[in-house]
Amino acid sequence: MSEAPATLTATALITGGSRGIGKGIALALGQAGLQVYLTYVSKAAEAEAVAAEIRSKGGLASAFGLDVGDSSAVADFFQSEIKDKVLLKALINNAGITKDGLILRMKDEDWDKVLGINLRGPFICLREAAKIMTRQRLGRIVNIVSIAGQMGNPGQANYSAAKSGLIGLTKSAAKELASRNITVNAVAPGFIVTDMTDKLDAATRDLYLTQIPLKRFGTVDDVASAVSFLVSDSAAYITGQVLAVNGGLYC
Ligand code: NAP
């Protein structure tokens, strides 16, 4: 197998980079000097604005519409936009959704939808990225999981199961891909202020706040810093790990 030409531009692909944590990661990796490819599923203008912000600071960035639940679209994207076109330094599996509900009332479609986007989607992206990174003999994969996948959360059986599954995928992929100089790690945010957590009611938010030892909710920059570290040369000997960014809520 041949290695990718050294002239290709080192690139980080971030799924769901249009807002929230993914946007923070995109800006941080752009700042770190990587070309940023960020994806969105519905918010094209927001995604284009993130790419424009990175370019305005002297970086390289492009936004792409890509539903991680559509496996053939994901495979086509890797073939048409990534393979032999860029050096795929990093894949950040960040895109995620919630469809909360108590188990007794949870519909099959809400289970399938969350597992499809939050677990099958990252698997498809990881598999397609691994095909390319294996040839490169180089790559960093970071899966954004959740404290809910570590400690469980009432009303989030589907989401917690998907994120626990993604931790298992992280550890298995780390072992399979290590011989090709590819590291695979997870970052597990606690309560981070984004559109996803804005949906929670005030009582739930207040309850979390009383339980967080550092006495504040996290920011997208708190998570982006952890991801930047795992992508950096400083983390070359770290693989198969789950780095919690949760203010001490679960340790
Ligand atoms: P968010 O603000 O709701 O943003 C979700 C992102 O995912 C958006 O960019 C969205 O794109 C994209 N997305 C959704 N469905 C998609 C699909 N089918 N295909 C491709 N992209 C899709 O979420 P967030 O709070 O930043 O969360 C980001 C990640 O962190 C998720 O994996 C989440 O589970 C995890 N997390 C978050 C928290 C938290 O407290 N916020 C805690 C733990 C873990 P559009 O903008 O185009 O819709």
Side-chain angles (χ1 to χ4, degrees):
M1 276 183 278
S2 61
E3 292 191 20
T7 48
L8 296 179
T9 305
T11 301
L13 171 63
I14 301 143
T15 65
S18 48
R19 54 198 165 95
I21 290 170
K23 174 181 176 181
I25 295 168
L27 295 174
L29 295 185
Q31 192 72 34
L34 289 170
Q35 171 168 239
V36 172
Y37 280 7
L38 58 102
T39 74
Y40 61 90
V41 68
S42 61
K43 301 208 181 303
E46 282 86 341
E48 294 293 351
V50 177
E53 185 175 340
I54 294 167
R55 290 194 298 268
S56 74
K57 293 173 180 161
L60 294 170
S62 302
F64 301 87
L66 181 67
D67 181 350
V68 299
D70 182 342
S71 48
S72 61
V74 171
D76 287 350
F77 173 80
F78 275 88
Q79 286 297 314
S80 62
E81 303 292 346
I82 306 284
K83 188 170 179 246
D84 299 328
K85 299 235 167 86
V86 300
L87 179 74
L88 185 60
K89 172 83 192 287
L91 164 69
I92 317 300
N93 268 320
N94 165 79
I97 60 166
T98 53
K99 287 203 176 289
D100 295 351
L102 296 171
I103 290 167
L104 295 185
R105 283 188 236 129
M106 186 170 285
K107 298 189 188 95
D108 291 0
E109 54 262 39
D110 289 345
W111 174 271
D112 291 344
K113 183 79 182 165
V114 169
L115 271 286
I117 303 300
N118 294 7
L119 181 55
R120 190 170 181 276
F123 167 68
I124 304 293
C125 291
L126 183 149
R127 185 183 65 199
E128 297 309 309
K131 289 176 187 168
I132 292 167
M133 289 175 172
T134 296
R135 289 178 64 224
Q136 296 174 172
R137 301 275 198 282
L138 162 80
R140 298 289 166 85
I141 298 173
V142 180
N143 296 319
I144 307 301
V145 296
S146 171
I147 192 170
Q150 297 175 300
M151 62 186 280
N153 204 21
Q156 290 198 310
N158 50 1
Y159 182 81
S160 303
K163 295 297 189 179
S164 288
L166 191 48
I167 291 172
L169 172 61
T170 301
K171 289 173 180 287
S172 295
K175 290 182 174 172
E176 274 193 36
L177 300 174
S179 66
R180 301 305 173 99
N181 192 30
I182 300 166
T183 66
V184 188
N185 291 289
V187 167
F191 189 109
I192 310 297
V193 180
T194 68
D195 291 349
M196 186 176 275
T197 46
D198 282 351
K199 285 189 249 169
L200 297 175
D201 60 71
T204 307
R205 275 205 295 273
D206 289 349
L207 180 65
Y208 280 129
L209 198 49
T210 62
Q211 295 170 348
I212 298 171
L214 285 175
K215 293 294 168 217
R216 69 171 177 87
F217 298 135
T219 66
V220 296
D221 291 340
D222 291 323
V223 182
S225 300
V227 173
S228 295
F229 166 66
L230 290 170
V231 169
S232 76
D233 292 344
S234 303
Y237 198 56
I238 300 173
T239 196
Q241 302 304 307
V242 182
L243 178 51
V245 181
N246 63 27
L249 179 56
Y250 178 77
C251 47

